[in-house]
Amino acid sequence: MQYRRDTETPARPDADLAAEAAARPGRRRDPAVDEAVKAAVLDLLTERGWAGVSMDGVAARARVGKASIYRRWSSRVQMVAEAITELNLSGIDRPDTGTLHGDLLVLYRAMITSLQGPLGTASRAVLGVLPHEPALAEAFRAGPIAVWSDAFTDVFSAAVARGELDPARLGTVAGEAGPAVLMTRWLVTGQPLDEQLAVDVVDLVALPLLLSR
């Protein structure tokens, strides 16, 4: 899909564009521009890594004017973190199966799907630089990581309300063990991320730890 390039004066410094955008009265964001920018961020992270993503580069890839970028985001960190956060949100199907077992299966399947796709490839490019980019690390924790944390918290809270789960288990490492298995395979060992893994993580790791007394 092609998007209209906003009219702009290329010679103007980025700082001037950012200042003008911040001072300009708010206007409704065009969803088409937002989608184009998210797709561009994903593409550039996949192709070039974190170092290859810039405000100018995203504007060019998304075929929008730099002014449109600066009206929405004040920095590369904010732009990338928001794009990945929103893409993670769209990949989560909030479960309501009526059981902790069923809800966890839904979440782990969704996580595996995300890690195996373009979003996972782009996220890997960002994760590698987090130790050297404190602002990005904080934005990533507050964004994409928080999205999944909130989803698991909702599932655990629902299980507590149904009487399936002891609230004392919340906030312990029992809830972190399952995602840790997935992340280890994804980032370190390269072992398969598949349907059987989702089942094994729920049946052999998550539930035994969460339901143990």
Side-chain angles (χ1 to χ4, degrees):
M1 181 178 294
Q2 303 294 316
Y3 297 96
R4 178 180 59 81
R5 183 184 298 274
D6 289 357
T7 301
E8 58 179 298
T9 305
R12 296 177 63 192
D14 290 352
D16 289 349
L17 285 170
E20 179 182 313
R24 188 177 295 131
R27 68 171 67 176
R28 181 176 298 176
R29 285 172 59 157
D30 182 350
V33 172
D34 289 352
E35 290 302 314
V37 168
K38 285 188 288 186
V41 167
L42 203 66
D43 289 346
L44 289 174
L45 283 173
T46 300
E47 296 170 11
R48 306 177 188 177
W50 169 249
V53 178
S54 66
M55 305 287 269
D56 287 2
V58 169
R61 178 64 62 95
R63 298 190 177 186
V64 301
K66 283 201 297 182
S68 291
I69 299 290
Y70 284 105
R71 276 198 295 269
R72 290 163 170 79
W73 302 281
S74 61
S75 68
R76 174 174 64 148
V77 165
Q78 184 188 50
M79 176 181 62
V80 171
E82 182 177 317
I84 294 180
T85 298
E86 291 184 5
L87 288 163
N88 272 285
L89 278 169
S90 66
I92 295 180
D93 182 12
R94 293 285 178 169
D96 186 18
T97 67
T99 68
L100 179 58
H101 182 276
D103 287 353
L104 287 176
L105 270 178
V106 171
L107 280 186
Y108 283 119
R109 285 168 176 157
M111 183 175 285
I112 286 173
T113 298
S114 292
L115 294 177
Q116 288 182 309
L119 180 57
T121 303
S123 297
R124 190 195 300 268
V126 173
L127 289 173
V129 302
L130 293 186
H132 314 291
E133 297 280 353
L136 181 62
E138 178 58 32
F140 208 78
R141 283 191 293 268
I145 294 175
V147 165
W148 287 97
S149 178
D150 289 347
F152 277 98
T153 296
D154 289 347
V155 164
F156 296 149
S157 297
V160 169
R162 289 191 300 263
E164 284 186 275
L165 182 62
D166 182 350
R169 305 302 294 167
L170 301 182
T172 69
V173 294
E176 300 176 21
V181 172
L182 268 60
M183 297 300 287
T184 298
R185 287 200 175 198
W186 178 55
L187 290 172
V188 182
T189 69
Q191 292 174 272
L193 295 173
D194 52 24
E195 168 66 19
Q196 188 57 50
L197 177 61
V199 173
D200 288 346
V201 165
V202 172
D203 291 345
L204 304 179
V205 180
L207 285 181
L209 289 173
L210 287 166
L211 302 180
S212 64
R213 297 291 181 178

